[in-house]
Amino acid sequence: MTAVPLGLGSSFLGYMAAKSSFFIALDLLALASFLVPTLIRRANVAYGKALPYVAAFSLALGIFSIGTGIFNNGTDEPYAAAYWLSVLLNGHNPYVYHLTITYTQFQLFPPPELRTLSPTTTFVYLPLAAFLVIPGGGTGFKAFSLLLWAGTLYLVRRERWTALVWGSPVIALMAANGFNDTVAILLLTVALVRPGPLATSKAAEYVSFGMKQFAPYLMGVYYLARRQWLNIGITLGVTLLILLPFLLWGPAFDVLCTAFVVVPLHSCPASYPLPGAAYVHWNYYFWPVWLGAIFLPRLYRWVRSEVGRPHYAWAAGWVRPERTGHGGHLRLTIAFALAYLHWWFRPHYAPAEGKAGGDSGASRPSPVPPPENPFGDWSPPSPPSPDPTP
């Protein structure tokens, strides 16, 4: 286990060195969460045995950051949340009403800062995020965000590779800063993992559409990948329905442009020029880490199983088990892309011809089972006993 704390400590030191100056280094450090399972494997420790230690270390690090203020100034969201709701309650449309917010950003290193949000600042999230007013001010919001990170980790605990990636100390530190992305991510995890009834999962999914812009975008792509056209329409409809009162309040263009801030128009009150916003906003990197953690194990298993089927025989040579290393992963990725395109354009296959039994000798079709949906329901494997070393 010695390599595990050393690797995690190195990640933390890298975070400390990068925090004050290098946005890109922070972003890369967030993406480096995918290396946590690799560190565990190189230490020759079973994923299941390492997971409690990684989760406990990350949680303790998040609590330490909240309690001391060290490396805890990543966003104004914990301080500005109460202002967004007050604007709404005072009869103003928060998407077009400009605020000036001054607050003290508590932290010990570097010293506390007095910050002022621009007087052109408006509410830039989806409507339900305005109601995330947590008791305890900024500290309460940060603790709430860290709790949501822990809840998401609990939901994916059975898929241990997924849990190790999401349980990364860097992701816990991000959550401890108080980013409201953790709300939408927990709701989408409930929707995809489905720990309860389908109605509960759908309710969580629809509420997430009112929290953060990434949620309806990503679920739209998810349903497109599954060829579920009705669900794409429902995603669009639910999102617009949640936003409808503010669109009617108007001006509608300003509301749409501000709520979906990926459109860099000069006339948009709160648009961000892309791709620059992608590296300045550290919290954006919650999403690729979460997506990779949720889907990569499923897609890996799907390709391994599907390339052995007759209609994917042409891809079998790309993913032979003995082919490992970076070249093997590249071949696996190419095989997945080709197999998935084959599935997407031809989800049903003509039945193979075969001889039926009996005296008639009639030729009957022998059905070929349809291919599995690579983006089907999230169903992690049950943990084996005893837990093998990865």
Side-chain angles (χ1 to χ4, degrees):
M1 285 289 293
T2 55
V4 177
L6 285 176
L8 297 176
S10 298
S11 297
F12 181 51
L13 291 175
Y15 170 80
M16 291 192 295
K19 176 62 183 173
S20 59
S21 303
F22 305 105
F23 285 117
I24 295 177
L26 283 173
D27 302 338
L28 293 177
L29 192 59
L31 295 177
S33 299
F34 289 108
L35 299 179
V36 172
T38 303
L39 292 174
I40 302 301
R41 184 184 299 112
R42 289 188 177 277
N44 199 31
V45 178
Y47 284 172
K49 292 180 180 178
L51 180 57
Y53 293 96
V54 174
F57 177 83
S58 299
L59 181 62
L61 190 59
I63 294 172
F64 171 79
S65 179
I66 294 172
T68 63
I70 297 178
F71 314 116
N72 203 257
N73 67 336
T75 178
D76 55 64
E77 292 166 21
Y79 307 95
Y83 288 90
W84 302 329
L85 183 59
S86 67
V87 168
L88 180 61
L89 295 179
N90 285 318
H92 302 288
N93 188 339
Y95 287 104
V96 296
Y97 185 84
H98 294 166
L99 308 180
T100 300
I101 303 173
T102 301
Y103 59 92
T104 299
Q105 184 90 29
F106 174 71
Q107 58 185 126
L108 297 180
F109 180 78
E113 304 174 33
L114 186 66
R115 293 193 171 190
T116 301
L117 293 184
S118 166
T120 60
T121 298
T122 62
F123 179 67
V124 292
Y125 305 104
L126 289 177
L128 297 184
F131 297 90
L132 289 175
V133 180
I134 308 300
T139 301
F141 198 100
K142 294 172 184 179
F144 177 67
S145 177
L146 184 64
L147 181 64
L148 295 179
W149 163 84
T152 303
L153 182 62
Y154 178 79
L155 290 176
V156 299
R157 67 195 183 282
R158 288 178 55 203
E159 181 69 81
R160 283 153 179 175
W161 187 91
T162 298
L164 285 170
V165 172
W166 186 249
S168 159
V170 179
I171 301 301
L173 271 174
M174 291 170 67
N177 276 257
F179 290 109
N180 60 17
D181 302 75
T182 54
V183 181
I185 285 175
L186 175 66
L187 292 170
L188 289 180
T189 304
V190 171
L192 292 171
V193 176
R194 291 186 181 177
L198 176 62
T200 302
S201 301
K202 282 298 178 184
E205 178 184 347
Y206 296 156
V207 171
S208 76
F209 295 163
M211 290 291 177
K212 199 78 176 184
Q213 295 90 340
F214 292 109
Y217 283 136
L218 293 179
M219 290 306 292
V221 173
Y222 172 73
Y223 288 129
L224 176 65
R226 300 181 71 180
R227 301 169 54 96
Q228 295 181 347
W229 317 117
L230 177 60
N231 281 332
I232 294 175
I234 292 174
T235 298
L236 178 62
V238 170
T239 305
L240 292 178
L241 184 63
I242 293 173
L243 198 59
L244 183 61
F246 300 91
L247 292 173
L248 296 177
W249 201 345
F253 173 81
D254 288 350
V255 173
L256 278 175
C257 197
T258 305
F260 299 98
V261 292
V262 296
V263 184
L265 301 174
H266 291 292
S267 57
C268 185
S271 63
Y272 296 111
L274 298 177
Y279 85 87
V280 172
H281 293 79
W282 190 33
N283 60 303
Y284 286 8
Y285 290 82
F286 270 123
W287 296 91
V289 172
W290 176 76
L291 284 170
I294 288 287
F295 285 107
L296 284 179
R298 295 170 57 191
L299 298 182
Y300 183 88
R301 290 193 293 267
W302 180 79
V303 174
R304 288 287 187 185
S305 64
E306 286 298 289
V307 294
R309 295 163 66 95
H311 46 268
Y312 287 132
W314 49 268
W318 287 86
V319 288
R320 290 173 185 165
E322 64 271 14
R323 292 185 171 180
T324 58
H326 295 294
H329 288 298
L330 178 61
R331 286 188 289 270
L332 186 68
T333 302
I334 295 173
F336 164 71
L338 295 175
Y340 174 71
L341 288 174
H342 186 247
W343 174 87
W344 203 90
F345 287 106
R346 298 185 62 195
H348 302 290
Y349 296 88
E353 299 257 336
K355 290 286 185 181
D359 297 331
S360 62
S363 187
R364 295 181 181 176
S366 176
V368 176
E372 179 188 354
N373 185 343
F375 288 90
D377 291 336
W378 197 80
S379 180
S382 298
S385 181
D387 187 18
T389 300

